[in-house]
Each structure stands twice: as structure tokens, then as C-alpha cells.
Amino acid sequence: QWNTGSRRGGITPGDHVFVLQQGAGPRGLVAQGYATSEIYQAPHWDGVAGHVGNYVDVAWTTVRHEPYADIVDLRIAVDGMNWAPRQSGLMVPQHATAALLQFSALMLEQGRG
């Protein structure tokens, strides 16, 4: 179960899902998988009674503690993507999806992360 923030639609089973680690430490891709459900509402992860969140079920295929694809390399390899988002749950533009999947597979094949 993954929180989609304010997003309530636009994710369907089979869609690729990536997690981009932000912040002060190493930045880059740390996880990927695919959606196994559409977005649904469930009790919010904060545990406050009455709070609900938007979630999608995900089958994770790769999870790392450190990025396996560095943010600098992502900027070079995948054109047309905002790699410094100020929000979560961004959609990868259709024209960038193939490049992201190819680059991610290459980094994993090379044993990064």
C-alpha cells in the first residue's frame, strides 16, 4: 500500500511506479514496481481517527537503501522529466517512460545501489 498524496486517479493496475529519494542525502531512484490496484481511500497512515488517505497497492520489484540510479545520471538519461519536484506523486510524461525504464534496468543490471 503506497500513499498517493492528493492524487485520486490516473493510476491503473500494471502502471510502473518509481520512488525518488529526495533530501539532504544521496538522491535518486531507490525503488520500483508496478501498481496492482487503482487508487482507493483507506485510513490515513498517521492513525488519526477520521483521517483518510489515497493509496494504491504496489508490487515492489526493487527496493534499495541507497539510490541505484543517481539524480545527476537521471537528468542526463531521461529528458523531459522534472527531477526536482516540490510534491510527491508525479506522473512520468509518456515520452519519458521508455527512457526511464531502460535506464533503470541498465543501472540495476550493472549492480548499482
Side-chain angles (χ1 to χ4, degrees):
Q1 188 181 60
W2 189 257
N3 186 292
T4 64
S6 62
R7 181 175 302 284
R8 292 185 179 187
I11 298 175
T12 59
D15 285 351
H16 295 278
V17 177
F18 292 88
V19 177
L20 177 67
Q21 180 171 290
Q22 300 275 45
R27 295 179 58 216
L29 295 179
V30 293
Q32 67 176 324
Y34 56 92
T36 60
S37 73
E38 294 188 1
I39 295 175
Y40 60 91
Q41 290 194 324
H44 196 276
W45 55 265
D46 65 8
V48 174
H51 282 192
V52 295
N54 301 312
Y55 297 93
V56 64
D57 293 334
V58 176
W60 298 108
T61 57
T62 301
V63 177
R64 301 282 196 270
H65 292 286
E66 295 289 326
Y68 62 87
D70 184 81
I71 192 76
V72 173
D73 296 333
L74 284 164
R75 287 185 179 130
I76 295 167
V78 184
D79 190 35
M81 184 67 199
N82 175 13
W83 292 111
R86 297 195 178 271
Q87 63 192 40
S88 63
L90 298 178
M91 297 286 284
V92 175
Q94 189 170 11
H95 68 274
T97 301
L100 178 55
L101 288 168
Q102 183 178 16
F103 181 69
S104 177
L106 177 64
M107 294 297 98
L108 289 168
E109 185 178 292
Q110 292 180 357
R112 304 258 178 120

